Amino acid sequence: MEAYQETNFFATLFIIFISAGLTNNILLARFLGMCSCLGVSKKVDTSVGLGAAVTFVTATTAALNYLVYYYILVPLGLEFLKLITFIVVIAAFTQFIEMVIERYSIKLYNSLGIFLPLITVNCAILGISLFMLNKPYGFWESFAYGLGGGFGWFLAIALIGGIREKINEKFLPEGLAGPGITLIIIGIMSLAFVGFSGMIKI
Amino acid sequence: MADTPKQIFIKGIWKDNPVFRQVLGICSSLAVTNLLTNTLFMAFGVMFVTAFSNFTVSLLRDHIPARIRMIVQVLIIASYVMIVDILIKAVNPDIHRFIGPYVGLIITNCIIMGRAEAFASQNTPWLSFLDGLAMGIGYSLVLIVIALVREPMGFGTLLGFPLPGREIWWHQWTIMVMAPGAFFMLAIVTWISRKIQLNLEKGGK
Amino acid sequence: MDKKSPSYILIFIVLISFVFGLAISSVHYLTLPMLEKNEALHKNRIISQAFMLDVEKDTPEAYEDAIRQFIKIDSIEIKREKVEFFRHREKDYIGFIFKGLGFWEPISGIIVMDRDLEKIINLKILEQKETPGLGARIEEPWFTEQFQQLAIKWNDNQKIIIGATSNPDKSNVVETITGASQTSDALMNMLNENLAEFKKNYKDK
């Protein structure tokens, strides 16, 4: 950390963002959020839709959970409840968002609505909130970490969606289409991302 | 409409297998299948939690408001796992040191959530309990198959014991230890079982 | 009462959070004494093992007695934080608790050195939550035993090295864990940093 103290605040945030998004990609390095990724990555636009929603929720809930943890749980000595609290915060937040967009934009709701249940069960979001506590981050750093983590997930699912769109499933051997071929794609991509790991150390 | 217990088990283990049919619980299958011992711990934990959380969700199903059912289900599952976790930690810390890392993986395992949503919220507690158990078994079997390939190739051992003639034939295949190995194995298992299912369907026509 | 009304939803969520929160909290507080006892036992056991004390029985009292008899527990301030620091009453061994961030979760352990800080006598891991089967192997004996009699090169940038090096002198090098290079790197950096800080503050005494 020492090396970063002299550089300015925004540079630090940017490094955290890049490190969380690329070098420690939550989907390809830690394999969280795999289920909804396999289910939704058939097309680029649905991937991008879910990815954007996840990025938004991850960043916001990382910030929310930071506040809840350091200003409510720690003073009360209830750190052991953090896991269950984070889950409730994430689920409640998604539910709240669902209600808001349902009321104000039916169009957005129709295109995003199907993703909202998927977000609640996306383990990447919970993972980011939990890993953030292990790092000596302040509020804005946590927000940048959440944003980066969510963006990393977004990037991965958009890439997978792009590759899957180009695959003509007619030429695949029987039974391999769908999850099978997607797993192979992700396997190859994660091999590539292994090369990124350790490039930026925080 | 309601399934008999036998049908539930057939569905959980083969027809609607959570891993290769429903594509659920992938994250945890990647993390733990490089050693068979770890796989067995995880499999047992998931079976247990799916069965009991299905049971609980089903008991409460008439009272949970539809709008917030997700939060409630997640809350039930997480509380369950945490209580069991704390109890094990208090009673036998040595066992806890082994299974501690899986706790987070069990809570976020989407099989549990998926079954609570798809089955337990519409069926009676007893059937839901069986469904959870069957899904757990189906999940476990796939994981065990993968671990049976990964551990011998990655470490040259099985359940931690060196395999016979290890020095002669075995050369460490690092990719099998790491996650990409799990992806490829999972893809192969999915491919083969789907192919078999497709063939059976054709034969049935 | 109407299940769709906001008041029902609100009451339900408050109620269920309260019930489960209460359940977890009560289990937590009821088992707290046991947890603390277990924690102390684990720590004493690791300290005894790290200092290679002869403990006759595997009981909390036996470990406590052994530590009281042979180890002097002190603390020194490193970076405004208290770090536990141990001295062997008979042999010229000193040790301290090191901490740091592993691949994703914190790692802590105890490192024992000779009084001149020239070589490592022993190293034991206290807490870690690395990937089962990969990074988690840092606490296995084959890995930690490599640290026994390992030289600490204070003049080099890397006082100890985990993994490959071009330097022909391998007296401060231990083998890495295959497939867990991130954990190995994290442990290496954490040890180097902790050692440097410790030496700075230890000399001041």
Side-chain angles (χ1 to χ4, degrees):
Chain A
M1 279 307 282
E2 285 134 54
Y4 298 114
Q5 274 163 12
E6 290 131 37
T7 55
N8 75 53
F9 181 65
F10 289 102
T12 316
L13 292 190
F14 185 69
I15 289 168
I16 290 173
F17 175 81
I18 293 292
S19 133
L22 280 182
T23 56
N24 288 317
N25 189 295
I26 190 115
L27 184 79
L28 297 165
R30 184 76 196 198
F31 314 106
L32 291 180
M34 198 57 78
C35 310
S36 42
C37 170
L38 286 170
V40 176
S41 62
K42 263 197 198 94
K43 285 222 166 68
V44 177
D45 19 327
T46 41
S47 307
V48 169
L50 180 65
V54 166
T55 312
F56 174 67
V57 174
T58 315
T60 329
T61 53
L64 275 179
N65 284 334
Y66 178 88
L67 296 176
V68 167
Y69 185 76
Y70 286 104
Y71 293 99
I72 298 177
L73 294 183
V74 173
L76 292 175
L78 293 173
E79 288 96 334
F80 65 94
L81 282 178
K82 69 175 181 215
L83 211 142
I84 194 161
T85 318
F86 286 2
I87 290 176
V88 173
V89 166
I90 293 167
F93 183 73
T94 4
Q95 206 87 51
F96 175 73
I97 293 295
E98 188 183 346
M99 289 182 195
V100 168
I101 36 182
E102 192 185 6
R103 178 153 300 177
Y104 291 104
S105 167
I106 285 297
K107 207 178 148 207
L108 189 65
Y109 179 75
N110 287 339
S111 58
L112 208 65
I114 45 159
F115 300 132
L116 288 163
L118 284 173
I119 292 175
T120 321
V121 291
N122 191 326
C123 34
I125 298 171
L126 182 67
I128 291 275
S129 282
L130 286 174
F131 296 140
M132 149 191 108
L133 298 182
N134 295 327
K135 312 209 171 200
Y137 287 167
F139 177 75
W140 288 108
E141 280 116 325
S142 300
F143 180 71
Y145 185 68
L147 197 64
F151 177 73
W153 199 87
F154 171 90
L155 197 68
I157 192 176
L159 285 173
I160 294 164
I163 297 173
R164 280 184 78 176
E165 225 174 49
K166 296 277 172 210
I167 289 177
N168 190 339
E169 296 203 332
K170 270 187 207 141
F171 293 113
L172 289 176
E174 209 175 25
L176 188 64
I181 188 72
T182 316
L183 283 165
I184 293 178
I185 296 170
I186 300 176
I188 295 170
M189 280 179 69
S190 88
L191 273 179
F193 267 77
V194 169
F196 275 132
S197 65
M199 252 170 50
I200 302 179
K201 287 235 169 64
I202 293 206
Chain B
M1 181 64 206
D3 293 332
T4 63
K6 195 181 156 197
Q7 279 171 320
I8 289 176
F9 274 96
I10 292 174
K11 274 191 176 164
I13 294 168
W14 179 246
K15 266 194 187 155
D16 284 339
N17 182 294
V19 181
F20 57 78
R21 286 305 310 189
Q22 302 176 44
V23 207
L24 293 176
I26 305 294
C27 323
S28 51
S29 10
L30 296 165
V32 299
T33 48
N34 55 10
L35 285 172
L36 188 57
T37 328
N38 297 344
T39 309
L40 294 177
F41 269 124
M42 183 72 192
F44 183 74
V46 168
M47 220 186 292
F48 180 82
V49 176
T50 323
F52 279 95
S53 65
N54 254 7
F55 182 75
T56 319
V57 169
S58 172
L59 269 184
L60 289 172
R61 71 185 190 281
D62 290 336
H63 307 288
I64 301 175
R67 233 181 207 303
I68 54 160
R69 61 182 195 288
M70 286 278 184
I71 310 182
V72 177
Q73 286 163 5
V74 175
L75 197 67
I76 291 172
I77 295 164
S79 315
Y80 234 128
V81 179
M82 279 182 70
I83 289 173
V84 174
D85 177 54
I86 297 173
L87 284 178
I88 296 175
K89 202 174 177 180
V91 176
N92 196 331
D94 292 328
I95 289 183
H96 186 264
R97 239 166 267 290
F98 274 110
I99 56 173
Y102 304 104
V103 171
L105 288 174
I106 292 177
I107 292 179
T108 52
N109 192 318
C110 32
I111 292 179
I112 303 172
M113 188 73 195
R115 291 324 287 173
E117 173 75 9
F119 196 93
S121 53
Q122 282 134 32
N123 286 285
T124 56
W126 172 237
L127 284 180
S128 306
F129 183 85
L130 286 183
D131 177 74
L133 206 60
M135 287 293 159
I137 293 171
Y139 169 80
S140 309
L141 288 176
V142 175
L143 256 67
I144 289 169
V145 168
I146 296 173
L148 278 175
V149 176
R150 284 182 78 193
E151 188 176 342
M153 284 187 170
F155 293 104
T157 59
L158 202 57
L159 283 171
F161 298 108
L163 290 171
R166 184 168 177 255
E167 293 76 22
I168 308 163
W169 61 268
W170 182 74
H171 180 79
Q172 180 157 41
W173 203 7
T174 312
I175 196 178
M176 273 297 160
V177 179
M178 291 165 65
F183 281 116
F184 297 135
M185 276 309 302
L186 204 54
I188 293 168
V189 172
T190 310
W191 181 10
I192 293 173
S193 29
R194 286 201 167 202
K195 174 79 186 158
I196 295 173
Q197 285 181 340
L198 281 174
N199 285 354
L200 285 178
E201 272 167 34
K202 273 183 206 155
K205 263 178 198 169
Chain C
M1 199 169 174
D2 180 16
K3 264 203 270 177
K4 277 186 183 147
S5 73
S7 47
Y8 179 85
I9 292 179
L10 200 68
I11 291 170
F12 190 87
I13 194 80
V14 168
L15 205 68
I16 201 152
S17 308
F18 183 74
V19 168
F20 280 105
L22 197 70
I24 294 180
S25 306
S26 44
V27 172
H28 177 82
Y29 285 115
L30 283 175
T31 55
L32 204 56
M34 283 165 91
L35 288 179
E36 277 164 0
K37 221 173 104 194
N38 291 336
E39 206 104 297
L41 169 63
H42 175 66
K43 199 171 163 191
N44 285 342
R45 195 187 277 157
I46 295 288
I47 295 173
S48 308
Q49 285 169 0
F51 276 96
M52 298 184 243
L53 302 180
D54 276 326
V55 184
E56 284 144 25
K57 279 178 286 179
D58 189 43
T59 61
E61 294 78 26
Y63 286 113
E64 240 170 69
D65 284 345
I67 286 174
R68 205 177 300 127
Q69 193 184 342
F70 291 108
I71 307 290
K72 190 165 174 280
I73 301 177
D74 222 338
S75 72
I76 55 171
E77 207 164 283
I78 294 177
K79 281 190 175 173
R80 271 178 257 122
E81 245 186 81
K82 275 204 171 159
V83 172
E84 268 184 287
F85 165 56
F86 313 95
R87 272 177 227 269
H88 200 294
R89 288 185 202 270
E90 288 167 11
K91 293 177 190 158
D92 274 347
Y93 293 167
I94 59 165
F96 72 98
I97 304 250
F98 65 87
K99 285 190 192 102
L101 186 63
F103 187 11
W104 298 82
E105 308 257 355
I107 297 178
S108 69
I110 169 166
I111 183 166
V112 177
M113 296 163 287
D114 66 324
R115 186 153 291 187
D116 309 321
L117 306 184
E118 264 162 12
K119 62 176 196 246
I120 294 174
I121 303 296
N122 206 351
L123 181 137
K124 286 272 167 192
I125 301 293
L126 205 54
E127 298 290 342
Q128 57 88 10
K129 285 183 189 147
E130 300 301 293
T131 324
L134 289 174
R137 303 179 77 207
I138 51 169
E139 63 175 26
E140 288 177 11
W142 70 267
F143 182 71
T144 53
E145 273 164 16
Q146 296 184 75
F147 286 92
Q148 294 172 5
Q149 303 302 323
L150 195 74
I152 308 174
K153 289 192 183 161
W154 290 102
N155 300 328
D156 288 10
N157 206 6
Q158 302 276 39
K159 287 146 202 82
I160 57 151
I161 295 171
I162 301 175
T165 170
S166 53
N167 194 335
D169 174 17
K170 301 268 191 267
S171 62
N172 69 334
V173 180
V174 299
E175 242 178 76
T176 170
I177 301 165
T178 318
S181 51
Q182 296 249 29
T183 302
S184 308
D185 282 355
L187 184 67
M188 173 168 79
N189 295 336
M190 150 189 343
L191 283 172
N192 280 321
E193 269 167 41
N194 275 273
L195 280 170
E197 288 297 326
F198 177 77
K199 193 178 185 185
K200 236 190 269 166
N201 293 279
Y202 174 68
K203 265 199 165 168
D204 292 345
K205 272 202 132 176

